[in-house]
Amino acid sequence: GMLAAARRRAGHLPAAAFVRTGGRDLAMFADASFDLVFAVDAVPYVVAGGAELVDATFAEMRRVARPGGDVLVVNYSYRGDLDADRADVAALAARHGLEVLELGAQPFARWDGAVFRLRRPAGD
């Protein structure tokens, strides 16, 4: 599966860890333990689970990001309304004390993926 492929490609990196998690509860990770929290095409399924799950997931992503670390989400939802996604992510960032660096940018030539790049403040 996907984790096995990731281990084959990057398992030799000493700081790499590959763990399957539901996202809502990242309790197995210490506070401020990651430079980057990266979710590609995962958050739309969280969004489908409802606002409470989204809020808990963003709280956990922020918690495990180190001060100055990024939370990078590619695709917030699959509802086909990028303006609504931008508004939702901006509100989540404000509620969870995250700085907005990218709000729905679409930098890919062959994919319509929307990038939301947030940062836990460095002095946090």
Side-chain angles (χ1 to χ4, degrees):
M2 190 177 271
L3 283 177
R7 284 186 187 104
R8 280 193 305 275
R9 289 182 178 186
H12 65 284
L13 299 171
F18 304 94
V19 179
R20 182 177 177 178
T21 176
R24 174 194 334 217
D25 180 9
L26 301 174
M28 76 277 293
F29 302 116
D31 293 359
S33 56
F34 293 99
D35 295 325
L36 173 65
V37 178
F38 188 39
V40 178
D41 279 338
V43 175
Y45 300 100
V46 174
V47 169
E52 183 179 320
L53 181 58
V54 172
D55 207 53
T57 299
F58 272 74
E60 280 292 271
M61 289 191 299
R62 183 202 187 281
R63 181 186 66 77
V64 301
R66 69 166 173 76
D70 286 356
V71 173
L72 184 62
V73 172
V74 181
N75 289 329
Y76 174 75
S77 82
Y78 293 143
R79 64 184 158 189
D81 187 344
L82 188 54
D83 288 336
D85 288 353
R86 287 177 172 134
D88 284 358
V89 174
L92 285 159
R95 189 162 53 252
H96 292 286
L98 294 163
E99 300 168 351
V100 174
L101 303 178
E102 295 280 344
L103 195 57
Q106 294 183 292
F108 307 106
R110 296 178 181 251
W111 181 36
D112 65 352
V115 174
F116 300 87
R117 184 171 160 225
L118 311 172
R119 178 166 291 154
R120 183 172 172 174
D124 189 19

